[in-house]
Amino acid sequence: MERSEADLSSDDATHERRTGISLFIQQFRALLRKNMLLSLRNKRATALQLASSFFFIFLIFAVDQAIKARQRTDTTYKNTFNPQPTIVPSIPTCETGYYIKSPCYDFLWSGNSSARISSIVTNIMNRNPGRPIPSAKVLGFATTDDVDRWLSGNPMRCTGAIHLQERGPSVIAYGLQTNSTSKSKRGVYEDPNFAFQIPLQAAVEREITRFIAGDSNLPWSVAFTEYAHPAISTVSTVGKIGPTFLLAAAMFGFVIQISNIVIEKELKLRQAMSTMGLYDSVYWLTWLTWEVLVALISSLLLVLFGMIFQFYFFLHNNFGVLFFMFFLFQFNMVGFAFLLSTFVNKSSSATTIGFFIFIIGFVTQLVTTFGFPYSKSFSKIYRIIWSFFPPNLFAIGLNYLGDATATKQDKGISWSGRTKCSNADQDCVLTMAGIFHWFVATFVLWLLLAIYLDNVLPDINGVRKPWLYFLKASYWSGKSTNYSEGGNPCCLSSLPQISSGNVAGDDDVAAEEESVKQQQANHIGNPNLAVQVCGLVKTFPGSTHRAGCCNTKRIPPYHAVKGLWLNIEKDKLFCLLGPNGAGKTTIINCLTGIVPTTAGDALVYGDSIRSTTGMTRIRKHMGVCPQFDILWDALSGLEHLLLFASIKGLPPVKVYNDSVELLSQVKLSDAATVRSGSYSGGMKRRLSVAIALIGDPKIVYLDEPTTGMDPVTRRHVWDIIENAKRGRAIILTTHSMEEADILGDRIAIMAKGMLQCIGTSIHLKSKFGTGYLVTINLHKAEITSPLKTPDIKLFFRENLGIEPKEENKAYLTFIIPRQREHLLADFFTKLQSRQSELGISDIQLSLTTLEEVFLNIARKAKLETAAAEGRFESLVVTSDLTFQVPIGAEYVVVSDSITEENPGGLIVEVYWQQDDTGALCISGYSGPKPPSQPLPESGAVMLKLTSRRSRSQRQ
Ligand SMILES: Nc1ncnc2c1ncn2[C@@H]1O[C@H](COP(=O)(O)OP(=O)(O)OP(=O)(O)O)[C@@H](O)[C@H]1O
């Protein structure tokens, strides 16, 4: 059994398998191709991811245009406004201006025109004779009338003065003195320009103009408004709203990234690849490479689209700075997606998470845009915490780039400027280079955390490493985890206490266990041995669930495999049978390293499944067809085989040739390039079988490989499996007794996690079968005249005391119990002597089927379990089916066979209910199989019923 490294390396040499770095590269290329194909085939998601760059840049463009259009409206107003002083009869509407008109002036400047100028001077000077500005602040102008009132000389309202400097025929010079207080005590707005100076000036100029024009009623109006100045807008649309839209664009990629990773986890695709020998590092590296490639393209497109739309943001900032800003953000989000994917096991949750992150990002980037916490007024600690969320860094980065290109004149941030503050006036706390460094540093953090959590969080099978696994020397050396590399991993001293699986007491099972123990104790090597299982135990830990508000439900630990001892030879097919839940798949999962064993061990070609290095070596020579097809819908059959062949390290030429060859063997050549998503159930199973056989594995596990296949295909696959036995060991589980009978060199039936029997088909049939199956074929003449049938039945009843199991016009079948074996010789002599008299054309005698063996064992196991758990009460019914039982009770029909000698038979769980009259009705069947014969509805049948009280009744 001991198998040296040299043996396996010689296998490697024989098959020219790649190892080490070259295997790493081959796996990397195959997985990268797979990712590329999946992305290309998932056109909608990929198109969405790439088109989102264009879409969101376009949205920003649209918003930018809307803002500019609004500014243009202001400009239009400005253009229609005549900047020249206009003499108009009246100004009925004036948006923001002063219409200065007051009877006060008539009073002020009444008198003849020649005296007017003098009046102006006189009156104004009289009113304001170089008065000092009053110390007390008084009201400003709330209305235009205020101005007039002020001019009229109300001393109480005087907040300014006109100082006439000079007057003459060719010059009039005056000065205006106004209050410069922006707000009066009473809260009235006193803008020195607009509230005082301009109206005052306008009023004076009006009077001067009237004087010069010689028309004291000359209408004089001045309208003024703020000048529209779009050209000096200091708002960068990309800088301000960009974070929101570009974050949304990045979110598409983010959601798709998480989904891609989680789907492979959810559908156990990653597990399938790992089982076939894929390095974890290759897995992560290929996803990283692919996503970085997508981020590169997406960032390039973003910058290019931005340039196409002629944003100063994209035109004036340095291309490299822009590109790194977008790329590093998306790069960082790839790491973030990896990290989040370790917490999620369902791809449907990925969208929810992506949306949730976007909402949070949307809010926090808004807060960031308003200045939190990237200014000196905030503590550094806020900044550090805030910067751990990538959208925040992205927002502040875009803000900086936006501020640097707010106007056409701004030059933006240059490549060398990335290390400087974009605006020297700002209280700068972060440069563009600082943002880049943060992105890279946090990416490394996300990646390390993702790899760590990927190992320590329970996977889809609940498997996880210890929290401090990386502190163990074995992790870094890649050596044995549970046993020292030098020792014999299967040594008896380390075997579990619940060792014996032979609680059922079968001597063959006991002998098998003894044989394994002997070989282990004496270090007897058997060159023909492929697998040696030594007391394998698997217990799934219990758990506690909340039930309702106040109760907790405790699920106890479940012992799925209770100590298995087995020797499995090369060139042989070992068949594992058992009812649902017997533990067959769990054994395969333990042997393939999908779940760790609780105790015990198994040696596969001498390598322990409990050793990390051992399992790595085993995987190179292992093929697995899982119970449920693990396939990528978007990949074709050929692509699947190419991928798995590459993962196994076959040389490139063999990768293709072997894949094509295997496809033709499983009759999928015509569908080689068709996507597996459109395969029928049987085609998928055949592809799974082909995947298990690719790479010429030395040990193949086939878990119910022919489920769902039609009889013709099934037989064909049996041929493939039969041929595949050569040079390898195959472990097959099935529910098809026929399949086990035909393919199995040795068969073991297990129930409740234990082996119940083991041996060849013939051995099991003779040991556990209910007896012999006799088929009596009737002459054609008798078909029209079935009168002899009662005679045949009478003959069997009188001689063997048995009734037919099945009967029709062509044949009758009887089962002869093994207890009557001694009567057979005489019986058949008599029967043959009366053959023609009884109208019998042919008599066939065979051992009972494997199915009967299986059913007997399964029934026995079920009754033992029920008895052990005290769930059953027995009662025997000898009349018809209508009898009194407690309402709500459940019954297990232990036998629907009639004879006392043969109390065994089919187990059928039947749920009974009492109707209003107290009669029983069968409300449904469940259990391993429906009854082979319909239960009689009434009549004189003997039924041994075992009642199971409901738990509540017991409590
Ligand atoms: N991860 C798990 N956690 C808890 N119990 C588990 C887990 N996996 C399997 N089991 C339990 O272990 C028992 C054996 O399951 P297993 O799948 O090995 O049975 P099986 O013989 O392959 O059945 P089938 O014929 O239906 O495939 C079942 O009762 C199952 O519920």
Side-chain angles (χ1 to χ4, degrees):
M1 186 59 197
E2 295 296 317
R3 197 147 193 264
S4 64
E5 289 239 1
D7 289 341
L8 290 177
S9 359
S10 75
D11 281 345
D12 288 346
T14 316
H15 301 287
E16 302 161 41
R17 278 169 192 267
R18 299 192 160 193
T19 50
I21 302 259
S22 57
L23 176 60
F24 185 96
I25 294 171
Q26 180 165 347
Q27 290 189 347
F28 176 79
R29 287 173 54 184
L31 255 72
L32 203 59
R33 184 166 180 271
K34 181 250 320 170
N35 288 354
M36 192 187 73
L37 286 174
L38 290 176
S39 293
L40 291 179
R41 306 251 162 99
N42 192 357
K43 285 196 190 83
R44 215 178 303 164
T46 311
L48 206 63
Q49 201 173 352
L50 294 180
S52 62
S53 314
F54 177 81
F55 176 71
F56 285 103
I57 286 286
F58 180 77
L59 268 186
I60 296 171
F61 176 73
V63 173
D64 187 57
Q65 289 302 306
I67 292 171
K68 284 187 178 148
R70 220 195 125 138
Q71 287 172 339
R72 267 199 297 278
T73 309
D74 292 347
T75 314
T76 310
Y77 174 78
K78 167 69 187 70
N79 291 341
T80 55
F81 179 79
N82 188 346
Q84 301 302 319
T86 314
I87 297 172
V88 287
S90 66
I91 301 176
T93 55
C94 179
E95 209 169 77
T96 48
Y98 296 94
Y99 177 46
I100 302 170
K101 168 177 162 295
S102 170
C104 299
Y105 299 121
D106 294 337
F107 164 73
L108 189 60
W109 288 311
S110 62
N112 63 50
S113 58
S114 59
R116 269 199 181 168
I117 191 73
S118 160
S119 297
I120 292 167
V121 174
T122 308
N123 286 307
I124 290 176
M125 289 305 289
N126 283 347
R127 305 265 172 222
N128 306 281
R131 266 191 320 222
I133 296 168
S135 57
K137 302 226 171 102
V138 294
L139 272 176
F141 300 114
T143 65
T144 52
D145 286 345
D146 283 352
V147 177
D148 287 346
R149 263 198 297 280
W150 182 78
L151 283 172
S152 72
N154 183 345
M156 291 308 292
R157 290 185 168 273
C158 179
T159 56
I162 301 168
H163 304 274
L164 194 71
Q165 305 292 330
E166 197 181 346
R167 74 174 172 91
S170 59
V171 60
I172 296 173
Y174 61 92
L176 299 175
Q177 187 181 18
T178 57
N179 194 351
S180 63
T181 311
S182 60
K183 239 174 190 183
S184 76
K185 275 185 187 164
R186 295 197 198 169
V188 178
Y189 186 68
E190 290 181 1
D191 180 273
N193 288 329
F194 284 88
F196 294 93
Q197 212 164 330
I198 293 173
L200 186 57
Q201 187 173 352
V204 173
E205 284 175 0
R206 177 187 63 187
E207 294 313 315
I208 293 170
T209 307
R210 281 177 177 168
F211 168 73
I212 293 168
D215 178 1
S216 62
N217 292 321
L218 179 75
W220 179 265
S221 65
V222 179
F224 58 93
T225 183
E226 220 176 315
Y227 193 84
H229 39 71
I232 57 162
S233 163
T234 55
V235 178
S236 159
T237 316
V238 185
K240 294 299 170 199
I241 62 165
T244 308
F245 286 99
L246 298 175
L247 184 65
M251 278 303 141
F252 275 104
F254 179 70
V255 170
I256 292 167
Q257 280 154 18
I258 301 191
S259 305
N260 286 342
I261 297 168
V262 176
I263 280 177
E264 291 204 334
K265 202 181 346 172
E266 185 181 1
L267 300 182
K268 301 191 175 179
L269 291 160
R270 184 181 167 194
Q271 175 189 298
M273 292 189 288
S274 299
T275 311
M276 294 290 198
L278 177 72
Y279 294 129
D280 263 8
S281 46
V282 173
Y283 179 80
W284 284 113
L285 192 68
T286 38
W287 269 123
L288 183 62
T289 310
W290 179 250
E291 295 303 346
V292 165
L293 213 65
V294 173
L296 265 171
I297 297 172
S298 159
S299 312
L300 261 178
L301 288 178
L302 262 173
V303 180
L304 290 178
F305 288 143
M307 288 174 144
I308 290 170
F309 281 99
Q310 294 282 297
F311 286 111
Y312 299 138
F313 182 96
F314 289 99
L315 295 173
H316 291 191
N317 283 309
N318 176 273
F319 178 87
V321 174
L322 282 170
F323 173 75
F324 273 102
M325 182 68 205
F326 289 109
F327 170 67
L328 288 179
F329 171 62
Q330 296 196 47
F331 175 66
N332 189 283
M333 291 301 275
V334 170
F336 205 58
F338 282 5
L339 175 61
L340 290 181
S341 73
T342 59
F343 296 101
V344 190
N345 284 331
K346 294 252 175 282
S347 56
S348 52
S349 315
T351 319
T352 317
I353 288 192
F355 189 67
F356 184 66
I357 298 285
F358 173 66
I359 298 284
I360 297 182
F362 175 73
V363 174
T364 58
Q365 63 83 17
L366 274 185
V367 176
T368 308
T369 303
F370 279 107
F372 178 84
Y374 297 100
S375 90
K376 285 177 181 149
S377 46
F378 292 98
S379 158
K380 198 174 175 184
I381 188 77
Y382 289 128
R383 216 152 39 240
I384 290 174
I385 295 170
W386 202 248
S387 299
F388 275 109
F389 190 47
N392 296 341
L393 278 176
F394 186 56
I396 194 66
L398 290 193
N399 278 191
Y400 287 170
L401 288 164
D403 289 347
T405 49
T407 69
K408 195 177 182 178
Q409 290 72 33
D410 289 329
K411 293 202 170 96
I413 298 179
S414 64
W415 180 247
S416 58
R418 76 190 187 286
T419 53
K420 300 173 197 134
C421 283
S422 54
N423 186 343
D425 297 337
Q426 285 177 355
D427 55 344
C428 169
V429 287
L430 197 61
T431 62
M432 291 307 291
I435 294 173
F436 295 168
H437 293 157
W438 256 101
F439 275 143
V440 174
T442 46
F443 168 80
V444 173
L445 181 69
W446 307 148
L447 194 65
L448 291 178
L449 276 175
I451 292 170
Y452 172 71
L453 292 174
D454 184 53
N455 280 294
V456 299
L457 293 180
D459 69 5
I460 210 101
N461 296 302
V463 180
R464 64 183 184 87
K465 286 192 179 137
W467 290 103
L468 297 176
Y469 72 94
F470 55 91
L471 294 183
K472 294 190 174 173
S474 58
Y475 172 74
W476 296 104
S477 64
K479 291 195 174 164
S480 173
T481 46
N482 294 31
Y483 298 95
S484 71
E485 193 74 343
N488 178 359
C490 215
C491 65
L492 292 174
S493 60
S494 60
L495 292 176
Q497 294 311 304
I498 2 168
S499 62
S500 178
N502 189 23
V503 286
D506 181 70
D507 46 357
D508 294 323
V509 174
E512 183 81 7
E513 179 175 336
E514 198 47 41
S515 154
V516 176
K517 283 180 178 171
Q518 285 292 326
Q519 288 177 8
Q520 281 293 311
N522 302 326
H523 298 282
I524 302 170
N526 178 354
N528 287 328
L529 217 50
V531 181
Q532 186 166 59
V533 184
C534 320
L536 190 84
V537 173
K538 177 64 197 175
T539 301
F540 291 106
S543 56
T544 309
H545 296 281
R546 274 194 85 81
C549 71
C550 331
N551 295 325
T552 49
K553 193 177 163 196
R554 217 188 116 53
I555 298 174
Y558 186 78
H559 304 292
V561 182
K562 299 173 183 165
L564 183 74
W565 299 83
L566 266 184
N567 275 331
I568 297 168
E569 293 188 347
K570 284 183 209 164
D571 301 323
K572 294 274 160 42
L573 187 143
F574 181 82
C575 188
L576 210 46
L577 294 176
N580 295 119
K584 305 179 296 293
T585 303
T586 307
I587 290 173
I588 290 191
N589 284 347
C590 288
L591 292 178
T592 52
I594 290 170
V595 293
T597 58
T598 308
D601 195 5
L603 301 180
V604 182
Y605 289 100
D607 280 314
S608 164
I609 59 165
R610 299 194 66 162
S611 140
T612 315
T613 40
M615 206 61 236
T616 309
R617 286 154 56 87
I618 292 168
R619 283 187 169 139
K620 285 187 193 160
H621 304 277
M622 184 170 90
V624 185
C625 167
Q627 190 171 12
F628 302 103
D629 301 305
I630 299 179
L631 304 169
W632 287 268
D633 280 354
L635 295 188
S636 70
L638 180 61
E639 284 158 355
H640 275 93
L641 288 177
L642 293 175
L643 173 68
F644 282 104
S646 301
I647 288 176
K648 289 201 154 177
L650 260 69
V653 181
K654 272 180 86 64
V655 165
Y656 185 79
N657 291 346
D658 286 14
S659 303
V660 172
E661 165 64 23
L662 259 172
L663 276 177
S664 99
Q665 277 187 32
V666 294
K667 294 213 160 109
L668 283 177
S669 296
D670 290 346
T673 52
V674 176
R675 291 185 196 184
S676 72
S678 54
Y679 282 9
S680 69
M683 289 165 86
K684 285 183 180 173
R685 271 333 262 154
R686 276 185 277 155
L687 179 57
S688 296
V689 171
I691 291 172
L693 296 177
I694 191 86
D696 194 17
K698 296 279 153 268
I699 171 80
V700 176
Y701 300 95
L702 303 172
D703 199 352
E704 301 178 26
T706 54
T707 312
M709 286 184 193
D710 64 68
V712 177
T713 316
R714 187 183 305 148
R715 274 177 169 70
H716 173 70
V717 171
W718 287 348
D719 285 343
I720 296 170
I721 296 174
E722 184 62 42
N723 292 335
K725 280 183 196 174
R726 272 192 299 273
R728 55 172 70 102
I730 300 178
I731 298 180
L732 174 135
T733 75
T734 181
H735 286 295
S736 159
M737 302 303 137
E738 196 186 358
E739 184 169 305
D741 217 351
I742 291 172
L743 293 175
D745 295 301
R746 280 214 306 165
I747 298 168
I749 299 182
M750 65 181 301
K752 301 180 297 175
M754 296 180 290
L755 281 196
Q756 307 292 325
C757 61
I758 188 166
T760 60
S761 171
I762 294 281
H763 177 72
L764 295 182
K765 281 177 190 170
S766 62
K767 189 169 173 183
F768 296 97
T770 48
Y772 297 86
L773 183 72
V774 182
T775 307
I776 306 290
N777 292 311
L778 303 174
H779 273 304
K780 274 192 178 163
E782 292 306 315
I783 295 172
T784 50
S785 168
L787 288 175
K788 293 288 190 282
T789 307
D791 296 343
I792 298 171
K793 284 161 78 174
L794 184 67
F795 183 82
F796 272 81
R797 199 177 300 129
E798 282 175 347
N799 288 284
L800 292 174
I802 55 173
E803 294 292 332
K805 184 170 177 274
E806 260 181 279
E807 69 171 277
N808 62 31
K809 289 177 182 174
Y811 66 87
L812 292 136
T813 59
F814 295 87
I815 288 180
I816 303 172
R818 289 220 332 271
Q819 294 91 324
R820 315 261 166 94
E821 208 170 7
H822 60 283
L823 302 174
L824 283 185
D826 278 353
F827 173 76
F828 278 108
T829 313
K830 271 198 225 169
L831 184 63
Q832 273 164 352
S833 66
R834 294 186 62 192
Q835 189 167 345
S836 53
E837 176 202 333
L838 291 171
I840 297 171
S841 70
D842 183 31
I843 302 167
Q844 287 170 8
L845 177 69
S846 61
L847 271 177
T848 45
T849 59
L850 197 57
E851 181 159 337
E852 280 173 86
V853 176
F854 176 85
L855 290 173
N856 279 342
I857 286 180
R859 184 201 62 183
K860 199 164 132 242
K862 190 164 184 176
L863 285 179
E864 275 168 11
T865 310
E869 293 174 5
R871 285 192 287 115
F872 293 98
E873 274 185 10
S874 294
L875 94 134
V876 176
V877 184
T878 49
S879 59
D880 70 30
L881 285 171
T882 304
F883 53 90
Q884 293 293 316
V885 291
I887 291 176
E890 290 173 21
Y891 290 84
V892 171
V893 179
V894 173
S895 170
D896 62 349
S897 299
I898 312 301
T899 60
E900 262 181 38
E901 292 85 354
N902 180 23
L906 206 59
I907 300 175
V908 184
E909 266 195 272
V910 185
Y911 296 91
W912 308 83
Q913 266 184 344
Q914 275 182 311
D915 65 15
D916 293 340
T917 64
L920 279 172
C921 313
I922 297 174
S923 61
Y925 295 106
S926 73
K929 277 238 168 190
S932 55
Q933 290 177 324
L935 283 172
E937 285 175 11
S938 65
V941 289
M942 187 182 85
L943 281 179
K944 185 178 168 196
L945 295 186
T946 308
S947 87
R948 180 174 61 199
R949 282 186 182 171
S950 70
R951 196 172 287 250
S952 60
Q953 276 177 306
R954 281 188 183 280
Q955 283 161 357

